Amino acid sequence: MTDTPRNLSINGPRLWQSLMDMAEIGATPKGGVCRLALTDLDRQGRDLFVEWCRGAGCSVRVDSIGNIFARRPGTDPDAPPVATGSHLDTQPTGGKFDGIFGVLAGLEAIRTLNDLSIETRHPVEVCVWTNEEGARFPPAMMGSGVYAGVFDRDETCAIADHDGVTVGDALDAIGYRGDLPPGHQDFAAFFEAHIEQGPILEDAKTEIGIVTGVQGIMWYDLTVTGAEAHAGPTPMPLRRDALAAVGGLLPKIYAIAHDNAPHGRATIGEFRALPGSRNTIPGRVELTVDLRHPDADVLAAMDRALRQAVAGVALETGLDFDLSHVWTSDPIAFDVDCIQAVREAAAERDCSAMEIVSGAGHDAVYISRLSPTAMIFIPCEDGISHNEAENVAPADVERGATVLLNAILKRAM
Ligand code: HGY
Ligand code: MN
Ligand code: MN
């Protein structure tokens, strides 16, 4: 058994440059990135990553939902790979680092192993999971969910965006519908590095988050149907105004999170009043609801509270309220041995570190169903993410990727 190299250093400037080069693809005027899943910009980002991986001596394979697997061979080809990675797709007003940091930190780990001519017994693999964000095609964590068998591949390929383009069509349009079946291999371990996307590490002046788990998420679509009518001649009591009706519901939705403070979350991210003309009474309102909590029982109670609130307002207003459940990601706990590998790697680097539960969903949630998994967080400026102002310090990027490499080595030798 070869001794495990400890406390290796990655090449911080090289990783930072790769992040900046990748951020050029879909760059927005306010300094963010818009690279929606399975668009041509996503293709360009994928192509650049594949080119870099091939340049680092990796073989590259793609599965039938577009997940990319870049493999650095190990001395034992039969050993299951130790994997890392995240996502390259972004929110519409996303930042340079959400997901991308985890993908390129994985590539930097491979580049560093090459620089040091270190051979590992297990292959080391960097994964790019398709459509983690769920912004264009719900649900989120789509590629990793198909990989883990949570979502059926063919049903997922039939999901369409607001323009009626399906996931399958979009995969074909960018040339990333591969031939590997979903879940083609297990991993010896999976480590995902990610920015925290919240303020906890920065407030605690802590360099590394040892992520012990991820909170639960529930997504819904709500459609309220009334009747379009003329804004002038229609007396107020005779209206079936879908927007006026939903106005009484919104405070009740936010109250569900406040009633379950401090961890409860409620977000209405999409909201459309149709037909969207100032002198036509809206006959239809479409909105999305995102509820979150780390405790499964509390999340179930929040779900019940939402359904009761919707039913109550529907009764009061007499309009039709159609609440459809889109997705649930249960709260999960990561693998204790992988968490320990992260903890040791951070300690060997003299990083200040703390345990943290992730408020955001990540591909590691679904991969943890198949393989021992853990995550590494680095702080982000003012805890901001899903925002073009998203920013991290180069020193934090270097530190997080260093801890990632050393955690991987603890399982790959
Ligand atoms: O929604 C999430 O938590 C993740 O950013 N997809
Ligand atoms: Mn992410
Ligand atoms: Mn995100």
PDB file of all heavy atoms in Angstrom, residues 300-337:
ATOM      1  N   ALA A 300     -42.494  18.408   6.213  1.00  0.00           N
ATOM      2  CA  ALA A 300     -43.819  17.825   5.930  1.00  0.00           C
ATOM      3  C   ALA A 300     -44.919  18.708   6.533  1.00  0.00           C
ATOM      4  O   ALA A 300     -45.973  18.927   5.927  1.00  0.00           O
ATOM      5  CB  ALA A 300     -43.895  16.413   6.510  1.00  0.00           C
ATOM      6  N   ALA A 301     -44.661  19.269   7.698  1.00  0.00           N
ATOM      7  CA  ALA A 301     -45.647  20.167   8.323  1.00  0.00           C
ATOM      8  C   ALA A 301     -45.780  21.467   7.517  1.00  0.00           C
ATOM      9  O   ALA A 301     -46.892  21.999   7.367  1.00  0.00           O
ATOM     10  CB  ALA A 301     -45.212  20.476   9.757  1.00  0.00           C
ATOM     11  N   MET A 302     -44.662  21.931   6.968  1.00  0.00           N
ATOM     12  CA  MET A 302     -44.717  23.134   6.112  1.00  0.00           C
ATOM     13  C   MET A 302     -45.526  22.850   4.846  1.00  0.00           C
ATOM     14  O   MET A 302     -46.299  23.692   4.376  1.00  0.00           O
ATOM     15  CB  MET A 302     -43.295  23.590   5.774  1.00  0.00           C
ATOM     16  CG  MET A 302     -42.505  24.121   6.976  1.00  0.00           C
ATOM     17  SD  MET A 302     -40.735  24.381   6.636  1.00  0.00           S
ATOM     18  CE  MET A 302     -40.797  25.868   5.609  1.00  0.00           C
ATOM     19  N   ASP A 303     -45.356  21.653   4.320  1.00  0.00           N
ATOM     20  CA  ASP A 303     -46.145  21.229   3.142  1.00  0.00           C
ATOM     21  C   ASP A 303     -47.641  21.262   3.472  1.00  0.00           C
ATOM     22  O   ASP A 303     -48.445  21.837   2.717  1.00  0.00           O
ATOM     23  CB  ASP A 303     -45.709  19.828   2.727  1.00  0.00           C
ATOM     24  CG  ASP A 303     -46.623  19.207   1.672  1.00  0.00           C
ATOM     25  OD1 ASP A 303     -46.612  19.701   0.529  1.00  0.00           O
ATOM     26  OD2 ASP A 303     -47.384  18.278   2.025  1.00  0.00           O
ATOM     27  N   ARG A 304     -47.994  20.718   4.607  1.00  0.00           N
ATOM     28  CA  ARG A 304     -49.420  20.708   5.023  1.00  0.00           C
ATOM     29  C   ARG A 304     -49.933  22.137   5.203  1.00  0.00           C
ATOM     30  O   ARG A 304     -51.029  22.493   4.773  1.00  0.00           O
ATOM     31  CB  ARG A 304     -49.597  19.902   6.312  1.00  0.00           C
ATOM     32  CG  ARG A 304     -49.418  18.399   6.146  1.00  0.00           C
ATOM     33  CD  ARG A 304     -49.908  17.626   7.378  1.00  0.00           C
ATOM     34  NE  ARG A 304     -49.129  17.950   8.568  1.00  0.00           N
ATOM     35  CZ  ARG A 304     -47.987  17.344   8.894  1.00  0.00           C
ATOM     36  NH1 ARG A 304     -47.488  16.412   8.100  1.00  0.00           N
ATOM     37  NH2 ARG A 304     -47.326  17.675   9.990  1.00  0.00           N
ATOM     38  N   ALA A 305     -49.094  22.981   5.798  1.00  0.00           N
ATOM     39  CA  ALA A 305     -49.507  24.377   6.036  1.00  0.00           C
ATOM     40  C   ALA A 305     -49.741  25.092   4.711  1.00  0.00           C
ATOM     41  O   ALA A 305     -50.691  25.876   4.565  1.00  0.00           O
ATOM     42  CB  ALA A 305     -48.429  25.092   6.854  1.00  0.00           C
ATOM     43  N   LEU A 306     -48.899  24.817   3.716  1.00  0.00           N
ATOM     44  CA  LEU A 306     -49.082  25.439   2.399  1.00  0.00           C
ATOM     45  C   LEU A 306     -50.410  25.004   1.776  1.00  0.00           C
ATOM     46  O   LEU A 306     -51.192  25.822   1.284  1.00  0.00           O
ATOM     47  CB  LEU A 306     -47.926  25.067   1.472  1.00  0.00           C
ATOM     48  CG  LEU A 306     -48.055  25.552   0.021  1.00  0.00           C
ATOM     49  CD1 LEU A 306     -48.009  27.088  -0.043  1.00  0.00           C
ATOM     50  CD2 LEU A 306     -46.948  24.952  -0.855  1.00  0.00           C
ATOM     51  N   ARG A 307     -50.683  23.698   1.836  1.00  0.00           N
ATOM     52  CA  ARG A 307     -51.917  23.179   1.237  1.00  0.00           C
ATOM     53  C   ARG A 307     -53.141  23.770   1.938  1.00  0.00           C
ATOM     54  O   ARG A 307     -54.124  24.140   1.291  1.00  0.00           O
ATOM     55  CB  ARG A 307     -51.918  21.653   1.296  1.00  0.00           C
ATOM     56  CG  ARG A 307     -50.838  21.019   0.436  1.00  0.00           C
ATOM     57  CD  ARG A 307     -50.735  19.515   0.585  1.00  0.00           C
ATOM     58  NE  ARG A 307     -49.548  19.015  -0.100  1.00  0.00           N
ATOM     59  CZ  ARG A 307     -49.470  18.823  -1.419  1.00  0.00           C
ATOM     60  NH1 ARG A 307     -50.517  19.101  -2.176  1.00  0.00           N
ATOM     61  NH2 ARG A 307     -48.355  18.388  -1.987  1.00  0.00           N
ATOM     62  N   GLN A 308     -53.050  23.914   3.265  1.00  0.00           N
ATOM     63  CA  GLN A 308     -54.186  24.503   4.007  1.00  0.00           C
ATOM     64  C   GLN A 308     -54.379  25.971   3.631  1.00  0.00           C
ATOM     65  O   GLN A 308     -55.491  26.432   3.386  1.00  0.00           O
ATOM     66  CB  GLN A 308     -53.947  24.378   5.519  1.00  0.00           C
ATOM     67  CG  GLN A 308     -54.251  22.988   6.084  1.00  0.00           C
ATOM     68  CD  GLN A 308     -53.552  22.752   7.429  1.00  0.00           C
ATOM     69  OE1 GLN A 308     -52.922  23.668   8.004  1.00  0.00           O
ATOM     70  NE2 GLN A 308     -53.625  21.508   7.917  1.00  0.00           N
ATOM     71  N   ALA A 309     -53.275  26.693   3.508  1.00  0.00           N
ATOM     72  CA  ALA A 309     -53.365  28.125   3.163  1.00  0.00           C
ATOM     73  C   ALA A 309     -53.993  28.297   1.782  1.00  0.00           C
ATOM     74  O   ALA A 309     -54.891  29.129   1.579  1.00  0.00           O
ATOM     75  CB  ALA A 309     -51.971  28.742   3.206  1.00  0.00           C
ATOM     76  N   VAL A 310     -53.565  27.470   0.836  1.00  0.00           N
ATOM     77  CA  VAL A 310     -54.107  27.564  -0.533  1.00  0.00           C
ATOM     78  C   VAL A 310     -55.601  27.243  -0.527  1.00  0.00           C
ATOM     79  O   VAL A 310     -56.425  27.979  -1.094  1.00  0.00           O
ATOM     80  CB  VAL A 310     -53.341  26.614  -1.481  1.00  0.00           C
ATOM     81  CG1 VAL A 310     -54.049  26.492  -2.828  1.00  0.00           C
ATOM     82  CG2 VAL A 310     -51.903  27.100  -1.675  1.00  0.00           C
ATOM     83  N   ALA A 311     -55.972  26.174   0.171  1.00  0.00           N
ATOM     84  CA  ALA A 311     -57.398  25.773   0.216  1.00  0.00           C
ATOM     85  C   ALA A 311     -58.247  26.877   0.852  1.00  0.00           C
ATOM     86  O   ALA A 311     -59.350  27.200   0.375  1.00  0.00           O
ATOM     87  CB  ALA A 311     -57.550  24.469   0.988  1.00  0.00           C
ATOM     88  N   GLY A 312     -57.706  27.509   1.883  1.00  0.00           N
ATOM     89  CA  GLY A 312     -58.462  28.557   2.574  1.00  0.00           C
ATOM     90  C   GLY A 312     -58.706  29.762   1.689  1.00  0.00           C
ATOM     91  O   GLY A 312     -59.828  30.285   1.610  1.00  0.00           O
ATOM     92  N   VAL A 313     -57.678  30.200   0.968  1.00  0.00           N
ATOM     93  CA  VAL A 313     -57.833  31.383   0.099  1.00  0.00           C
ATOM     94  C   VAL A 313     -58.731  31.051  -1.094  1.00  0.00           C
ATOM     95  O   VAL A 313     -59.523  31.868  -1.542  1.00  0.00           O
ATOM     96  CB  VAL A 313     -56.449  31.906  -0.356  1.00  0.00           C
ATOM     97  CG1 VAL A 313     -56.604  33.051  -1.344  1.00  0.00           C
ATOM     98  CG2 VAL A 313     -55.632  32.366   0.860  1.00  0.00           C
ATOM     99  N   ALA A 314     -58.635  29.820  -1.561  1.00  0.00           N
ATOM    100  CA  ALA A 314     -59.514  29.399  -2.679  1.00  0.00           C
ATOM    101  C   ALA A 314     -60.968  29.494  -2.241  1.00  0.00           C
ATOM    102  O   ALA A 314     -61.829  30.022  -2.962  1.00  0.00           O
ATOM    103  CB  ALA A 314     -59.157  27.974  -3.092  1.00  0.00           C
ATOM    104  N   LEU A 315     -61.243  29.061  -1.010  1.00  0.00           N
ATOM    105  CA  LEU A 315     -62.621  29.102  -0.486  1.00  0.00           C
ATOM    106  C   LEU A 315     -63.089  30.549  -0.339  1.00  0.00           C
ATOM    107  O   LEU A 315     -64.181  30.928  -0.764  1.00  0.00           O
ATOM    108  CB  LEU A 315     -62.631  28.415   0.899  1.00  0.00           C
ATOM    109  CG  LEU A 315     -63.946  27.766   1.362  1.00  0.00           C
ATOM    110  CD1 LEU A 315     -64.435  26.753   0.340  1.00  0.00           C
ATOM    111  CD2 LEU A 315     -63.740  27.118   2.747  1.00  0.00           C
ATOM    112  N   GLU A 316     -62.206  31.381   0.202  1.00  0.00           N
ATOM    113  CA  GLU A 316     -62.553  32.801   0.434  1.00  0.00           C
ATOM    114  C   GLU A 316     -62.866  33.516  -0.880  1.00  0.00           C
ATOM    115  O   GLU A 316     -63.803  34.282  -0.983  1.00  0.00           O
ATOM    116  CB  GLU A 316     -61.328  33.521   1.040  1.00  0.00           C
ATOM    117  CG  GLU A 316     -61.205  33.534   2.550  1.00  0.00           C
ATOM    118  CD  GLU A 316     -59.777  33.969   2.909  1.00  0.00           C
ATOM    119  OE1 GLU A 316     -59.250  34.912   2.240  1.00  0.00           O
ATOM    120  OE2 GLU A 316     -59.185  33.330   3.786  1.00  0.00           O
ATOM    121  N   THR A 317     -62.064  33.238  -1.891  1.00  0.00           N
ATOM    122  CA  THR A 317     -62.159  34.036  -3.134  1.00  0.00           C
ATOM    123  C   THR A 317     -63.075  33.406  -4.179  1.00  0.00           C
ATOM    124  O   THR A 317     -63.521  34.073  -5.101  1.00  0.00           O
ATOM    125  CB  THR A 317     -60.758  34.173  -3.775  1.00  0.00           C
ATOM    126  OG1 THR A 317     -60.278  32.850  -4.078  1.00  0.00           O
ATOM    127  CG2 THR A 317     -59.793  34.874  -2.819  1.00  0.00           C
ATOM    128  N   GLY A 318     -63.283  32.083  -4.035  1.00  0.00           N
ATOM    129  CA  GLY A 318     -64.126  31.403  -5.030  1.00  0.00           C
ATOM    130  C   GLY A 318     -63.412  31.158  -6.351  1.00  0.00           C
ATOM    131  O   GLY A 318     -64.012  30.710  -7.321  1.00  0.00           O
ATOM    132  N   LEU A 319     -62.115  31.497  -6.422  1.00  0.00           N
ATOM    133  CA  LEU A 319     -61.380  31.227  -7.665  1.00  0.00           C
ATOM    134  C   LEU A 319     -60.753  29.833  -7.607  1.00  0.00           C
ATOM    135  O   LEU A 319     -60.658  29.228  -6.549  1.00  0.00           O
ATOM    136  CB  LEU A 319     -60.290  32.297  -7.873  1.00  0.00           C
ATOM    137  CG  LEU A 319     -60.745  33.503  -8.696  1.00  0.00           C
ATOM    138  CD1 LEU A 319     -61.831  34.280  -7.963  1.00  0.00           C
ATOM    139  CD2 LEU A 319     -59.562  34.424  -9.025  1.00  0.00           C
ATOM    140  N   ASP A 320     -60.259  29.375  -8.764  1.00  0.00           N
ATOM    141  CA  ASP A 320     -59.661  28.037  -8.839  1.00  0.00           C
ATOM    142  C   ASP A 320     -58.165  28.132  -8.543  1.00  0.00           C
ATOM    143  O   ASP A 320     -57.439  28.855  -9.241  1.00  0.00           O
ATOM    144  CB  ASP A 320     -59.873  27.457 -10.249  1.00  0.00           C
ATOM    145  CG  ASP A 320     -59.223  26.079 -10.373  1.00  0.00           C
ATOM    146  OD1 ASP A 320     -59.607  25.192  -9.595  1.00  0.00           O
ATOM    147  OD2 ASP A 320     -58.273  25.955 -11.170  1.00  0.00           O
ATOM    148  N   PHE A 321     -57.716  27.424  -7.508  1.00  0.00           N
ATOM    149  CA  PHE A 321     -56.291  27.382  -7.137  1.00  0.00           C
ATOM    150  C   PHE A 321     -55.794  25.965  -7.388  1.00  0.00           C
ATOM    151  O   PHE A 321     -56.254  25.022  -6.731  1.00  0.00           O
ATOM    152  CB  PHE A 321     -56.114  27.721  -5.655  1.00  0.00           C
ATOM    153  CG  PHE A 321     -56.186  29.187  -5.343  1.00  0.00           C
ATOM    154  CD1 PHE A 321     -57.353  29.897  -5.542  1.00  0.00           C
ATOM    155  CD2 PHE A 321     -55.064  29.863  -4.867  1.00  0.00           C
ATOM    156  CE1 PHE A 321     -57.417  31.254  -5.264  1.00  0.00           C
ATOM    157  CE2 PHE A 321     -55.123  31.222  -4.575  1.00  0.00           C
ATOM    158  CZ  PHE A 321     -56.303  31.912  -4.782  1.00  0.00           C
ATOM    159  N   ASP A 322     -54.862  25.803  -8.343  1.00  0.00           N
ATOM    160  CA  ASP A 322     -54.332  24.474  -8.644  1.00  0.00           C
ATOM    161  C   ASP A 322     -52.876  24.404  -8.179  1.00  0.00           C
ATOM    162  O   ASP A 322     -51.988  24.978  -8.815  1.00  0.00           O
ATOM    163  CB  ASP A 322     -54.406  24.222 -10.160  1.00  0.00           C
ATOM    164  CG  ASP A 322     -53.784  22.868 -10.551  1.00  0.00           C
ATOM    165  OD1 ASP A 322     -53.670  21.992  -9.661  1.00  0.00           O
ATOM    166  OD2 ASP A 322     -53.353  22.733 -11.697  1.00  0.00           O
ATOM    167  N   LEU A 323     -52.646  23.725  -7.045  1.00  0.00           N
ATOM    168  CA  LEU A 323     -51.277  23.586  -6.497  1.00  0.00           C
ATOM    169  C   LEU A 323     -50.746  22.225  -6.903  1.00  0.00           C
ATOM    170  O   LEU A 323     -51.339  21.198  -6.563  1.00  0.00           O
ATOM    171  CB  LEU A 323     -51.314  23.693  -4.969  1.00  0.00           C
ATOM    172  CG  LEU A 323     -49.963  23.546  -4.261  1.00  0.00           C
ATOM    173  CD1 LEU A 323     -49.086  24.785  -4.526  1.00  0.00           C
ATOM    174  CD2 LEU A 323     -50.142  23.359  -2.753  1.00  0.00           C
ATOM    175  N   SER A 324     -49.664  22.200  -7.682  1.00  0.00           N
ATOM    176  CA  SER A 324     -49.112  20.889  -8.045  1.00  0.00           C
ATOM    177  C   SER A 324     -47.696  20.767  -7.494  1.00  0.00           C
ATOM    178  O   SER A 324     -46.871  21.678  -7.625  1.00  0.00           O
ATOM    179  CB  SER A 324     -49.136  20.681  -9.565  1.00  0.00           C
ATOM    180  OG  SER A 324     -48.166  21.453 -10.197  1.00  0.00           O
ATOM    181  N   HIS A 325     -47.435  19.642  -6.856  1.00  0.00           N
ATOM    182  CA  HIS A 325     -46.111  19.352  -6.276  1.00  0.00           C
ATOM    183  C   HIS A 325     -45.177  18.935  -7.404  1.00  0.00           C
ATOM    184  O   HIS A 325     -45.507  18.064  -8.208  1.00  0.00           O
ATOM    185  CB  HIS A 325     -46.253  18.225  -5.243  1.00  0.00           C
ATOM    186  CG  HIS A 325     -44.945  17.659  -4.814  1.00  0.00           C
ATOM    187  ND1 HIS A 325     -44.513  16.418  -5.215  1.00  0.00           N
ATOM    188  CD2 HIS A 325     -43.962  18.172  -4.046  1.00  0.00           C
ATOM    189  CE1 HIS A 325     -43.312  16.176  -4.695  1.00  0.00           C
ATOM    190  NE2 HIS A 325     -42.957  17.240  -3.980  1.00  0.00           N
ATOM    191  N   VAL A 326     -44.022  19.592  -7.489  1.00  0.00           N
ATOM    192  CA  VAL A 326     -43.074  19.355  -8.597  1.00  0.00           C
ATOM    193  C   VAL A 326     -41.941  18.434  -8.164  1.00  0.00           C
ATOM    194  O   VAL A 326     -41.518  17.556  -8.918  1.00  0.00           O
ATOM    195  CB  VAL A 326     -42.484  20.710  -9.076  1.00  0.00           C
ATOM    196  CG1 VAL A 326     -41.358  20.520 -10.092  1.00  0.00           C
ATOM    197  CG2 VAL A 326     -43.596  21.582  -9.661  1.00  0.00           C
ATOM    198  N   TRP A 327     -41.456  18.618  -6.927  1.00  0.00           N
ATOM    199  CA  TRP A 327     -40.202  17.917  -6.590  1.00  0.00           C
ATOM    200  C   TRP A 327     -39.985  17.956  -5.100  1.00  0.00           C
ATOM    201  O   TRP A 327     -40.326  18.954  -4.445  1.00  0.00           O
ATOM    202  CB  TRP A 327     -39.041  18.630  -7.303  1.00  0.00           C
ATOM    203  CG  TRP A 327     -37.653  18.181  -6.995  1.00  0.00           C
ATOM    204  CD1 TRP A 327     -37.177  16.897  -7.064  1.00  0.00           C
ATOM    205  CD2 TRP A 327     -36.547  19.005  -6.607  1.00  0.00           C
ATOM    206  NE1 TRP A 327     -35.838  16.892  -6.743  1.00  0.00           N
ATOM    207  CE2 TRP A 327     -35.425  18.165  -6.461  1.00  0.00           C
ATOM    208  CE3 TRP A 327     -36.390  20.365  -6.377  1.00  0.00           C
ATOM    209  CZ2 TRP A 327     -34.172  18.650  -6.104  1.00  0.00           C
ATOM    210  CZ3 TRP A 327     -35.149  20.862  -6.019  1.00  0.00           C
ATOM    211  CH2 TRP A 327     -34.057  19.992  -5.880  1.00  0.00           C
ATOM    212  N   THR A 328     -39.463  16.862  -4.565  1.00  0.00           N
ATOM    213  CA  THR A 328     -38.996  16.835  -3.173  1.00  0.00           C
ATOM    214  C   THR A 328     -37.581  16.277  -3.136  1.00  0.00           C
ATOM    215  O   THR A 328     -37.308  15.246  -3.770  1.00  0.00           O
ATOM    216  CB  THR A 328     -39.894  15.930  -2.304  1.00  0.00           C
ATOM    217  OG1 THR A 328     -41.203  16.495  -2.238  1.00  0.00           O
ATOM    218  CG2 THR A 328     -39.337  15.820  -0.884  1.00  0.00           C
ATOM    219  N   SER A 329     -36.688  16.989  -2.452  1.00  0.00           N
ATOM    220  CA  SER A 329     -35.360  16.444  -2.175  1.00  0.00           C
ATOM    221  C   SER A 329     -35.274  16.322  -0.653  1.00  0.00           C
ATOM    222  O   SER A 329     -35.279  17.337   0.056  1.00  0.00           O
ATOM    223  CB  SER A 329     -34.267  17.390  -2.703  1.00  0.00           C
ATOM    224  OG  SER A 329     -32.990  16.918  -2.318  1.00  0.00           O
ATOM    225  N   ASP A 330     -35.245  15.086  -0.151  1.00  0.00           N
ATOM    226  CA  ASP A 330     -35.275  14.886   1.304  1.00  0.00           C
ATOM    227  C   ASP A 330     -33.991  15.383   1.964  1.00  0.00           C
ATOM    228  O   ASP A 330     -32.920  15.333   1.341  1.00  0.00           O
ATOM    229  CB  ASP A 330     -35.445  13.394   1.618  1.00  0.00           C
ATOM    230  CG  ASP A 330     -36.825  12.871   1.173  1.00  0.00           C
ATOM    231  OD1 ASP A 330     -37.787  13.670   1.250  1.00  0.00           O
ATOM    232  OD2 ASP A 330     -36.919  11.715   0.747  1.00  0.00           O
ATOM    233  N   PRO A 331     -34.063  15.787   3.215  1.00  0.00           N
ATOM    234  CA  PRO A 331     -32.830  16.133   3.950  1.00  0.00           C
ATOM    235  C   PRO A 331     -31.908  14.918   3.985  1.00  0.00           C
ATOM    236  O   PRO A 331     -32.387  13.783   4.083  1.00  0.00           O
ATOM    237  CB  PRO A 331     -33.325  16.473   5.352  1.00  0.00           C
ATOM    238  CG  PRO A 331     -34.796  16.673   5.246  1.00  0.00           C
ATOM    239  CD  PRO A 331     -35.264  15.888   4.076  1.00  0.00           C
ATOM    240  N   ILE A 332     -30.604  15.131   3.830  1.00  0.00           N
ATOM    241  CA  ILE A 332     -29.681  13.984   3.863  1.00  0.00           C
ATOM    242  C   ILE A 332     -28.502  14.295   4.753  1.00  0.00           C
ATOM    243  O   ILE A 332     -28.177  15.456   5.014  1.00  0.00           O
ATOM    244  CB  ILE A 332     -29.163  13.614   2.443  1.00  0.00           C
ATOM    245  CG1 ILE A 332     -28.348  14.767   1.836  1.00  0.00           C
ATOM    246  CG2 ILE A 332     -30.277  13.187   1.536  1.00  0.00           C
ATOM    247  CD1 ILE A 332     -26.879  14.451   1.791  1.00  0.00           C
ATOM    248  N   ALA A 333     -27.853  13.211   5.256  1.00  0.00           N
ATOM    249  CA  ALA A 333     -26.595  13.292   6.015  1.00  0.00           C
ATOM    250  C   ALA A 333     -25.521  12.609   5.172  1.00  0.00           C
ATOM    251  O   ALA A 333     -25.761  11.561   4.569  1.00  0.00           O
ATOM    252  CB  ALA A 333     -26.743  12.593   7.358  1.00  0.00           C
ATOM    253  N   PHE A 334     -24.324  13.217   5.118  1.00  0.00           N
ATOM    254  CA  PHE A 334     -23.236  12.634   4.329  1.00  0.00           C
ATOM    255  C   PHE A 334     -22.526  11.513   5.092  1.00  0.00           C
ATOM    256  O   PHE A 334     -22.791  11.270   6.267  1.00  0.00           O
ATOM    257  CB  PHE A 334     -22.250  13.738   3.929  1.00  0.00           C
ATOM    258  CG  PHE A 334     -22.771  14.634   2.815  1.00  0.00           C
ATOM    259  CD1 PHE A 334     -22.690  16.013   2.918  1.00  0.00           C
ATOM    260  CD2 PHE A 334     -23.348  14.083   1.668  1.00  0.00           C
ATOM    261  CE1 PHE A 334     -23.160  16.846   1.887  1.00  0.00           C
ATOM    262  CE2 PHE A 334     -23.823  14.901   0.652  1.00  0.00           C
ATOM    263  CZ  PHE A 334     -23.734  16.272   0.769  1.00  0.00           C
ATOM    264  N   ASP A 335     -21.572  10.870   4.400  1.00  0.00           N
ATOM    265  CA  ASP A 335     -20.851   9.696   4.918  1.00  0.00           C
ATOM    266  C   ASP A 335     -19.817  10.125   5.965  1.00  0.00           C
ATOM    267  O   ASP A 335     -19.004  11.032   5.696  1.00  0.00           O
ATOM    268  CB  ASP A 335     -20.148   9.011   3.729  1.00  0.00           C
ATOM    269  CG  ASP A 335     -19.256   7.863   4.163  1.00  0.00           C
ATOM    270  OD1 ASP A 335     -19.772   6.762   4.363  1.00  0.00           O
ATOM    271  OD2 ASP A 335     -18.049   8.106   4.353  1.00  0.00           O
ATOM    272  N   VAL A 336     -19.831   9.489   7.116  1.00  0.00           N
ATOM    273  CA  VAL A 336     -18.953   9.938   8.212  1.00  0.00           C
ATOM    274  C   VAL A 336     -17.478   9.798   7.851  1.00  0.00           C
ATOM    275  O   VAL A 336     -16.656  10.638   8.245  1.00  0.00           O
ATOM    276  CB  VAL A 336     -19.259   9.189   9.537  1.00  0.00           C
ATOM    277  CG1 VAL A 336     -20.600   9.653  10.111  1.00  0.00           C
ATOM    278  CG2 VAL A 336     -19.271   7.695   9.348  1.00  0.00           C
ATOM    279  N   ASP A 337     -17.113   8.752   7.114  1.00  0.00           N
ATOM    280  CA  ASP A 337     -15.697   8.591   6.756  1.00  0.00           C
ATOM    281  C   ASP A 337     -15.244   9.664   5.762  1.00  0.00           C
ATOM    282  O   ASP A 337     -14.121  10.180   5.851  1.00  0.00           O
ATOM    283  CB  ASP A 337     -15.452   7.191   6.177  1.00  0.00           C
ATOM    284  CG  ASP A 337     -15.649   6.103   7.220  1.00  0.00           C
ATOM    285  OD1 ASP A 337     -15.512   6.417   8.435  1.00  0.00           O
ATOM    286  OD2 ASP A 337     -15.993   4.967   6.843  1.00  0.00           O
TER     287      ASP A 337
END
